[in-house]
Amino acid sequence: VLKLFKLLHRTRQEVFKNDTKALEAARQKINEEFRNNRDEKSEEKINELLKIASDVEAILRTSVIQAVHTDSDKI
């Protein structure tokens, strides 16, 4: 669980580099989701939550695109 938590935060830092609003929003959401489920005892539910977190990390890494304006009409 801790390994996945750290991986999500590292991925967040890479994906949203130089975007302070997105970095903070992602940090809060990751922490909130882990905090809300910290007392979960069911092994089945824990495995399901870990699968979801792993899928989210993969989607962040492969599907999120950050664009930067280089000119008034170029990104």
Side-chain angles (χ1 to χ4, degrees):
V1 174
L2 184 58
K3 183 178 179 180
L4 187 53
F5 179 78
K6 289 179 179 182
L7 179 61
L8 277 166
H9 278 289
R10 281 193 299 273
T11 301
R12 166 190 70 90
Q13 289 174 335
E14 291 173 22
V15 170
F16 300 118
K17 186 174 18 180
N18 300 324
D19 185 349
T20 55
K21 287 183 181 181
L23 280 167
E24 182 59 23
R27 184 187 70 78
Q28 287 179 357
K29 186 64 174 173
I30 292 167
N31 291 345
E32 176 187 330
E33 290 298 323
F34 275 80
R35 192 177 306 115
N36 288 343
N37 294 296
R38 71 176 170 216
D39 295 327
E40 185 61 53
K41 302 290 185 220
S42 167
E43 187 174 337
E44 184 177 307
K45 180 69 173 173
I46 291 170
N47 288 334
E48 178 184 329
L49 290 167
L50 289 174
K51 173 75 169 103
I52 291 169
S54 180
D55 291 347
V56 167
E57 191 277 332
I59 289 169
L60 279 174
R61 194 171 8 89
T62 60
S63 300
V64 174
I65 298 172
Q66 290 287 92
V68 177
H69 285 278
T70 58
D71 200 0
S72 62
D73 62 344
K74 294 182 182 178
I75 295 181

